[in-house]
Amino acid sequence: MPPIFARAAKSAAWPVLALSCLAFGNASAQGTYPNHPISLVVPFAAGGPTDVVARSLGASMSKTLGQSIVVENRTGAGGTLASTHVARAAPDGYTFLIHHNGMATAPALYRKLPFNPLTDFAYVGQVADVPMTLLGRKDLPPGDMPAFIKYARENGDKVNLANAGLGAVSQLCGMLLQESLGAQFTTVPYAGTAPALTALLGGQVDVLCDQTTQTIPHIKADRVKLYGVTTLDRIQALPDTPTLQESGLKGFEVKVWHGVYAPKGTPPEAIAKVNAALRAALKDPVFTQKMTELGAEIVPESKQTPEGLQTWLQTEVDKWGGIIRKAGVYAD
């Protein structure tokens, strides 16, 4: 019997840990972990921003792990279906989740959440941050962000603000924007980023806050009006574009961040190996170039660890919980 299982089996109070260690121990007996492909679950559709990050990350991590990472798209309920699936999966080191800010906002958005992001997962590390951009339809009157601030405060609910649906980062950005401006817009939710952006391009809505992975091509083609970026500092992809903070919204910061999780009880040895592969990927020129093309930025090394992700998740849960509850936005 492998030593790791012998230690875990000493306590009947740890059945889940014992089972996970058995699975890991068997894998070790049959060959070095991992000895077959790993599943990386994505809560959103193929081709979307998180899916693009996941596939690029998986391809790079596979080089270190010596096994394929198979991306599995499980869509629905703002990402909670995928999160629930992973939380309930066997903690054997072969199922992982990549998720964005939705992990932090789910406790406030959903009244009956079937998992707890802070207690039902093991943490692997963060990946990359994707800045957001505040866009207006091409013919919206304000020419820059200071003019937009004045326009928004004067026109209030006459301004139509699109988002990609409940729990989307575009929705969060819109809520923070309204709170920062002291204005109340007419919110128009769509079933995803693509239709929301299409509506903006077609002039059906006035404003959209969306990530650079989707907006940079349209910005460069001059199809939209760009008011600013939502990071505290200017970004490499749009160096001449002021931040919203520079334009008068002090402390305004929203970015899409991605973390990798495993079911609670996944053996520490598996977490350590996958984390090592994650950190190697974040230095892989192929992956980093892809992120640069998307306008994304690799997180600092302090956030690439399980502890770094856990600390950041708690910070984000605390930050967005108050904003969401104040806005009165809930899902059943």
Side-chain angles (χ1 to χ4, degrees):
M1 179 181 295
I4 186 172
F5 176 62
R7 290 195 299 272
K10 288 179 181 179
S11 174
W14 297 349
V16 173
L17 179 59
L19 288 172
S20 67
C21 290
L22 174 59
F24 191 80
N26 286 342
S28 298
Q30 297 165 13
T32 303
Y33 170 85
N35 65 3
H36 60 267
I38 291 171
S39 175
L40 181 61
V41 179
V42 176
F44 308 106
T50 300
D51 179 75
V52 171
V53 172
R55 292 179 188 277
S56 299
L57 180 67
S60 184
M61 289 176 64
S62 295
K63 300 174 189 176
T64 302
L65 292 169
Q67 287 288 344
S68 298
I69 293 182
V70 180
V71 172
E72 179 184 350
N73 300 92
R74 285 182 173 261
T75 63
T80 62
L81 292 183
S83 300
T84 301
H85 169 75
V86 174
R88 295 174 178 174
D92 57 7
Y94 288 94
T95 302
F96 291 84
L97 170 74
I98 183 169
H99 204 345
H100 64 23
N101 312 50
M103 279 290 272
T105 58
L109 283 172
Y110 293 88
R111 299 178 191 272
K112 299 176 182 178
L113 194 65
F115 63 90
N116 186 327
L118 296 171
T119 60
D120 291 345
F121 295 90
Y123 306 95
V124 177
Q126 282 185 252
V127 182
D129 294 335
V130 183
M132 305 286 283
T133 50
L134 180 63
L135 306 177
R137 55 180 166 82
K138 182 63 178 173
D139 58 350
L140 197 66
D144 56 22
M145 190 60 193
F148 175 78
I149 291 173
K150 183 175 184 295
Y151 178 86
R153 287 172 173 164
E154 290 176 351
N155 288 276
D157 60 5
K158 295 178 183 177
V159 176
N160 293 319
L161 172 67
N163 67 50
L166 184 68
V169 184
S170 57
Q171 183 198 33
L172 303 179
C173 185
M175 286 192 288
L176 184 60
L177 178 65
Q178 291 173 86
E179 182 177 90
S180 300
L181 290 171
Q184 188 67 42
F185 300 152
T186 297
T187 300
V188 185
Y190 288 86
T193 295
L197 187 54
T198 298
L200 183 76
L201 294 170
Q204 285 90 47
V205 294
D206 300 317
V207 186
L208 172 66
C209 186
D210 201 10
Q211 54 189 297
T212 54
T213 50
Q214 303 293 307
T215 62
I216 282 180
H218 300 290
I219 292 168
K220 291 184 175 180
D222 197 31
R223 299 188 189 105
V224 293
K225 197 165 277 188
L226 173 62
Y227 289 119
V229 296
T230 66
T231 46
L232 297 179
D233 300 308
R234 295 195 183 194
I235 63 173
Q236 182 179 351
L238 299 167
D240 298 325
T241 302
T243 67
L244 298 194
Q245 175 170 252
E246 286 180 70
S247 298
L249 301 185
K250 298 300 180 184
F252 194 102
E253 182 182 26
V254 182
K255 54 190 176 184
V256 182
W257 54 270
H258 299 86
V260 177
Y261 308 81
K264 183 178 181 180
T266 297
E269 293 87 345
I271 296 294
K273 282 207 170 187
V274 174
N275 174 259
L278 170 67
R279 287 185 284 109
L282 301 189
K283 293 180 175 65
D284 180 354
V286 175
F287 179 73
T288 57
Q289 177 60 34
K290 181 65 175 179
M291 293 301 99
T292 298
E293 291 171 1
L294 296 173
E297 300 172 347
I298 302 299
V299 298
E301 289 188 4
S302 61
K303 289 187 174 182
Q304 296 173 16
T305 64
E307 297 78 15
L309 174 56
Q310 184 175 17
T311 299
W312 180 252
L313 179 62
Q314 181 68 69
T315 299
E316 287 284 279
V317 168
D318 295 340
K319 172 184 176 178
W320 290 107
I323 294 173
I324 292 169
R325 283 187 286 270
K326 182 177 179 180
V329 178
Y330 300 102
D332 292 331

